[in-house]
Amino acid sequence: MEQSRRRFLKVAGIAAIGLGAAPAINFAASDSHGPGAAAKVKNEAALHAERWGMVIDIKKIDDTLARKISMACHLHHNVPDFTHEVDTQLYPKTRPVNHKQEIKWIWKEKFHYAFPDKEDEFLNEKFHHLPFMVLCNHCKNAPCVQACPTQATFSREDGIVMMDYHRCIGCRFCMAACPYGSRSFNFRDPRPFIDETHPDFPTRSKGVVEKCNFCAERLAKGEQPHCVEASEGAIVVGDLEDPESDVRKLLKEHYTIRRKQSLGTEPSVYYIV
Amino acid sequence: MLEIAVKGSKKYWVWIIFLLIVIGIGKLAYLDQFFNGLMITGMSRDVSWGFYIANFTFLVGVAAGGVMVVIPYYLHDYEKFHRITILGEFLAVASLVMCLLFIIVDLGQPVRMLNVLLYPSPKSMLFYDMLVLNGYLFLNIVIGWKVLEAERNQVEPPAWTKPLIYLSIPFAIGIHTVTAYLYCGLPGRGFWLTAILAPRFLASAFAAGPAFLIILCYIIRKFTKFDPGWEAMQTLSKIVCYAIIANLFFFLCEVFVVYYSNIPGHKTHLQYLLFGYHGYNALVPWMWSGFIMMGVGAVMLVIPRLRSNYVLLPVACAMIFIGAWIDKGLGMISGGFVPSPLHHVTEYAPTGQEIIITLGVYAAGFLVLTILYKLATTVKEEVNG
């Protein structure tokens, strides 16, 4: 009896010291290291939308402008160019390229490739030659997001379909799922094929998928996407849910089409034809 | 029980060493791919899945085919299958090992593989595929091992194996159904967008799996003293016969729908595979030989005199097995990607290195199969001898 009471008191005493000491230790620890939590600051200039959308006025784009738009996007996002001559001193063992494994975010296609379901033998002649700029459609019901087994591809609240290049396992299920061929896979290390690395955007490693990100990194700084800036007014982005937005005004004034509308993916990219 | 595997004849060891050499060569080829990326394959922006995923799909079928011996024996008490049930289960194990290896060699970032578990995504069919494939592998290892061990000790298998055996039946159907769902749920791929895909996958699986099992029975008869039983093999051949006819029938249903409805997005793929499209026709001779082999094999198995011919049976089985491999392994995956969603035609052919890596995976599977079959046949020899 005596024995167990003494043991109880001992244990209780040690426990009390422990309880009292814990906050003290925590206090000392946090004091010596300064505030641990990172501050989350919102950029006041950032552009917001309930659902981002894009309108491309095809009549305003010719081959030269199409090239300029693609270049602006690809250069700033460090998209490799397989025609680029590799610096053999920096990358001595670079193997020959397979151009079928190229990477592209925004590029021109002929009408009947961009809209294969609208093929027509009596189509207005001029449509055969117009460069249709194609890119990720940032679908409302994105099949790629549904397919991704790691949520490396995900839909943001503002409708932008984004990718986490560090989570992607390279299974390429998203590429099979995309009905628009908008996704590219890094079959090899892209860095030898980047002329000048832009520090504003990360380069990718081999083995991950990538695609247009609607210049989310620029919207966050209050800037327009690269393609919009380069397009001389042919490409406009804005909030699809806001009736007063520039894109909604364009949609009200013009007849527009979207790619493979019948699939129900709800693309956010519209074409004025 | 594993000690059995290290006691073998000279032929056994020559075969094991041969497999190890092929695995080694495949591994070297894979290391190069690991460091340099999937650029060493014939895959491209337009055809983003190739030989690895095609063989994966085919082998999921072979694994599921094992259930064709489990159902008659465990659900219908068909005694003749008593001797070969273990062979079906162990064939499933070896096939699943190859399936998982094919998935790993296909990944662009294999070291991040566990992200599938870290960020489980119940909307992705790949998530369920991972669950059922690993589940079926686990079930077959446990069941096969426990039942064989019990046979060796001449006792009844533990009672808890029974529910696992029953569970393995829906899992077998499940692995191939979910594998078909990987493809047939994608809105932009007309070739796969058909509800017949899962039934067709199962039908070709139930033909290819048992057909291979019959061939394995011949090999076992030649190299061991264990006899799987001619009657069991005959029953298996009837299963193969019905299944391959179902597969061909489902295929013809697909052909009818595609050509009669005449919808371009669905038709172009079949057109590419069977007749060529805009001058691209690399797969045409393959596809026709595949279907001819399956057709001739089916006719041979329908006719009792030919089916029961000891020399012709393995020929018919080999034709069906190879035909199903071409149908599923070559046509099914490439066919879905050609033409691309933008109707560009980019053809695909595996590179030499891709084929070497594939052979390495097959050798690894055969190594597992050889060891497991060595255990099974030796135990059966002990018990019967």
Side-chain angles (χ1 to χ4, degrees):
Chain A
M1 187 68 200
E2 181 69 12
Q3 191 69 17
S4 69
R5 210 183 77 202
R6 271 178 59 187
R7 197 186 293 152
F8 169 78
L9 287 174
K10 221 158 74 183
V11 171
I14 292 167
I17 294 171
L19 281 173
I25 290 168
N26 282 346
F27 177 76
S30 57
D31 209 43
S32 58
H33 289 97
K40 214 172 166 183
V41 185
K42 259 198 179 153
N43 189 341
E44 292 302 323
L47 299 175
H48 296 286
E50 212 171 306
R51 189 180 150 214
W52 281 104
M54 178 183 281
V55 178
I56 303 177
D57 192 340
I58 285 306
K59 291 178 306 243
K60 290 185 183 164
I61 301 178
D62 59 12
D63 280 339
T64 326
L65 187 57
R67 203 170 308 123
K68 193 179 146 203
I69 294 168
S70 292
M71 287 278 276
C73 168
H74 290 177
L75 287 180
H76 286 97
H77 288 120
N78 298 319
V79 173
D81 173 8
F82 279 4
T83 59
H84 172 67
E85 208 165 299
V86 177
D87 184 343
T88 44
Q89 278 195 312
L90 251 134
Y91 303 101
K93 279 180 191 159
T94 307
R95 298 182 193 180
V97 291
N98 174 356
H99 285 280
K100 290 175 184 172
Q101 297 177 342
E102 68 182 334
I103 292 171
K104 40 193 185 183
W105 284 26
I106 180 167
W107 69 101
K108 65 167 187 178
E109 285 285 351
K110 287 188 171 153
F111 178 78
H112 61 277
Y113 290 127
F115 296 90
D117 47 352
K118 291 185 174 65
E119 222 177 330
D120 184 347
E121 60 177 308
F122 306 118
L123 185 77
N124 184 337
E125 185 60 29
K126 73 172 183 194
F127 282 102
H128 289 295
H129 308 293
L130 283 174
F132 279 76
M133 300 309 290
V134 294
L135 67 158
C136 170
N137 278 298
H138 297 277
C139 305
K140 199 173 172 185
N141 309 319
C144 56
V145 172
Q146 189 170 270
C148 180
T150 62
Q151 295 157 48
T153 290
F154 55 98
S155 280
R156 295 206 320 189
E157 269 182 20
D158 59 5
I160 295 177
V161 175
M162 286 275 278
M163 275 209 65
D164 181 342
Y165 307 122
H166 297 99
R167 190 186 282 190
C168 174
I169 59 172
C171 71
R172 309 189 296 294
F173 200 4
C174 54
M175 294 177 79
C178 178
Y180 307 100
S182 297
R183 293 177 158 267
S184 310
F185 178 69
N186 285 283
F187 283 92
R188 58 189 301 159
D189 181 14
R191 284 153 197 142
F193 303 96
I194 301 170
D195 186 22
E196 198 186 329
T197 308
H198 277 256
D200 291 348
F201 201 78
T203 56
R204 274 72 68 196
S205 62
K206 68 168 191 293
V208 299
V209 174
E210 62 179 76
K211 65 167 197 75
C212 155
N213 67 340
F214 216 83
C215 281
E217 81 282 4
R218 282 178 63 87
L219 298 174
K221 288 187 291 185
E223 292 164 353
Q224 291 283 319
H226 289 295
C227 58
V228 175
E229 252 180 22
S231 73
E232 297 165 13
I235 303 178
V236 178
V237 296
D239 190 352
L240 284 173
E241 303 290 345
D242 175 11
E244 300 304 316
S245 69
D246 290 346
V247 288
R248 281 291 291 275
K249 276 179 201 156
L250 284 169
L251 294 180
K252 231 175 276 174
E253 287 162 19
H254 301 273
Y255 174 70
T256 52
I257 53 173
R258 289 185 291 170
R259 297 172 68 197
K260 299 193 181 177
Q261 243 165 302
S262 61
L263 297 181
T265 55
E266 295 291 333
S268 301
V269 178
Y270 291 76
Y271 295 86
I272 301 175
V273 288
Chain B
M1 211 157 45
L2 260 180
E3 75 279 1
I4 297 169
V6 291
K7 280 181 279 178
S9 64
K10 205 174 152 194
K11 272 183 196 158
Y12 172 72
W13 284 109
V14 169
W15 172 241
I16 294 279
I17 288 166
F18 166 75
L19 288 176
L20 286 173
I21 291 170
V22 179
I23 293 171
I25 296 169
K27 184 148 189 182
L28 285 178
Y30 176 69
L31 278 178
D32 181 62
Q33 178 190 294
F34 183 83
F35 290 116
N36 291 296
L38 286 156
M39 60 174 275
I40 62 103
T41 69
M43 287 185 268
S44 57
R45 201 177 181 281
D46 283 347
V47 187
S48 47
W49 279 337
F51 214 46
Y52 301 147
I53 292 296
N55 280 292
F56 155 78
T57 309
F58 177 73
L59 288 167
V60 172
V62 176
V67 81
M68 283 289 109
V69 292
V70 171
I71 290 178
Y73 179 61
Y74 284 107
L75 290 189
H76 302 288
D77 295 321
Y78 183 69
E79 257 318 299
K80 299 260 160 44
F81 274 5
H82 175 67
R83 291 162 154 250
I84 59 166
T85 310
I86 189 78
L87 302 181
E89 284 157 352
F90 280 168
L91 175 60
V93 171
S95 304
L96 286 166
V97 167
M98 289 187 264
C99 289
L100 297 175
L101 285 174
F102 271 123
I103 291 285
I104 293 169
V105 300
D106 187 67
L107 290 180
Q109 286 284 348
V111 291
R112 295 183 191 161
M113 185 168 59
L114 292 178
N115 277 2
V116 178
L117 295 173
L118 277 173
Y119 310 103
S121 314
K123 275 189 179 173
S124 174
M125 279 302 126
L126 217 55
F127 173 71
Y128 296 98
D129 215 28
M130 174 207 60
L131 291 182
V132 284
L133 286 173
N134 284 301
Y136 190 56
L137 175 62
F138 172 77
L139 284 173
N140 274 297
I141 291 176
V142 172
I143 295 165
W145 195 268
K146 275 289 156 192
V147 171
L148 189 65
E149 201 176 49
E151 189 167 346
R152 194 183 192 200
N153 299 332
Q154 312 226 343
V155 291
E156 283 291 305
W160 55 263
T161 54
K162 259 289 155 65
L164 292 187
I165 289 165
Y166 294 138
L167 185 64
S168 78
I169 293 168
F171 261 83
I173 314 284
I175 57 167
H176 221 21
T177 306
V178 178
T179 304
Y181 285 1
L182 292 180
Y183 308 109
C184 69
L186 306 176
R189 308 278 177 183
F191 183 61
W192 300 328
L193 191 67
T194 165
I196 201 79
L197 202 70
R200 183 150 124 71
F201 269 26
L202 284 168
S204 92
F206 294 159
F212 192 55
L213 208 51
I214 291 174
I215 296 171
L216 288 172
C217 286
Y218 273 87
I219 295 171
I220 288 169
R221 279 186 149 196
K222 193 164 160 42
F223 288 99
T224 75
K225 285 188 220 68
F226 167 62
D227 179 14
W230 176 244
E231 269 185 76
M233 288 158 75
Q234 280 292 294
T235 310
L236 267 182
S237 72
K238 285 175 207 159
I239 292 172
V240 175
C241 178
Y242 283 118
I244 198 67
I245 289 171
N247 181 40
L248 289 169
F249 170 67
F250 291 159
F251 173 69
L252 290 175
C253 291
E254 183 67 19
V255 169
F256 169 77
V257 170
V258 161
Y259 278 98
Y260 198 79
S261 72
N262 210 19
I263 300 172
H266 296 260
K267 198 178 75 175
T268 46
H269 301 280
L270 216 49
Q271 188 74 16
Y272 166 70
L273 289 177
L274 295 180
F275 306 105
Y277 181 69
H278 290 319
Y280 295 95
N281 48 20
L283 284 177
V284 174
W286 285 96
M287 293 315 289
W288 283 100
S289 9
F291 285 112
I292 290 168
M293 276 195 254
M294 284 191 280
V296 173
V299 171
M300 284 172 73
L301 292 186
V302 166
I303 301 166
R305 263 240 314 269
L306 299 180
R307 182 176 63 224
S308 56
N309 183 309
Y310 192 78
V311 182
L312 287 181
L313 178 61
V315 177
C317 288
M319 283 205 290
I320 286 169
F321 187 75
I322 296 168
W325 180 80
I326 292 172
D327 173 27
K328 226 156 157 183
L330 282 180
M332 192 58 75
I333 304 305
S334 280
F337 285 108
V338 187
S340 78
L342 284 80
H343 281 209
H344 288 297
V345 183
T346 308
E347 287 197 291
Y348 164 79
T351 60
Q353 197 173 341
E354 215 173 343
I355 293 172
I356 291 171
I357 294 172
T358 303
L359 289 177
V361 172
Y362 270 102
F366 275 99
L367 183 68
V368 172
L369 187 71
T370 307
I371 291 171
L372 290 177
Y373 271 33
K374 168 87 175 144
L375 299 183
T377 53
T378 311
V379 167
K380 302 257 180 191
E381 279 171 0
E382 278 174 12
V383 174
N384 295 329

